[in-house]
Amino acid sequence: MSINQEIAPLVKTVVVPASPERAFELFTAEMAAWWPLVTHSVGLEKATDVRLEGAVGGRIVEYDKDGPTCYWGTVSDWDPPQTVSFTWHPGNDPKQAGHVTVTFRPVDEGTEVVLTHRGWERRPDGVQARAGYDSGWDYVLDFYVTSTG
């Protein structure tokens, strides 16, 4: 596969039993409360925290007991409580970063949260990475949904 050939975005949709404001706050400001760092981080069992700095240009930073260890991405769009977008490259070259957009829309049951992950073609292993993230995002988002209850 050519590195320039587009690979379809990965789209995940969940509904959380919370207002869009709360769902947005939990996803961004309280990421460490629900993100499964032990299995889904660069440092794995050594990782102690992840923080999303809430503003355009803010970073998503992984920490261990000694401080910041890895940058996962950079916020490119910040429009609470409707949307947040960021580059995504935990453990990888930022030049190969994907792009994630998360939208929050009120529904009868709470908030519909749609995560769209694109830019796979920037990675030499884009097809394989997308396949891994297909189940990976399901796993991570299950923690997010559970934490709103």
Side-chain angles (χ1 to χ4, degrees), residues 13-79:
T13 303
V14 295
V15 174
V16 295
S19 69
E21 292 79 10
R22 178 65 188 130
F24 186 94
E25 178 182 34
L26 184 64
F27 194 96
T28 59
E30 299 175 27
M31 188 178 247
W34 57 269
W35 192 276
L37 288 168
V38 171
T39 56
H40 287 70
S41 65
V42 176
L44 301 174
E45 68 280 347
K46 294 178 185 171
T48 59
D49 196 7
V50 60
R51 297 180 197 155
L52 186 150
E53 300 167 346
V56 171
R59 300 165 302 168
I60 305 170
V61 184
E62 179 180 322
Y63 294 81
D64 69 11
K65 65 180 178 55
D66 296 320
T69 60
C70 180
Y71 297 104
W72 292 4
T74 303
V75 176
S76 56
D77 183 36
W78 180 261
D79 186 17

Side-chain angles (χ1 to χ4, degrees), residues 93-104:
D93 183 342
K95 293 178 186 150
Q96 297 176 5
H99 195 263
V100 175
T101 298
V102 186
T103 60
F104 303 81

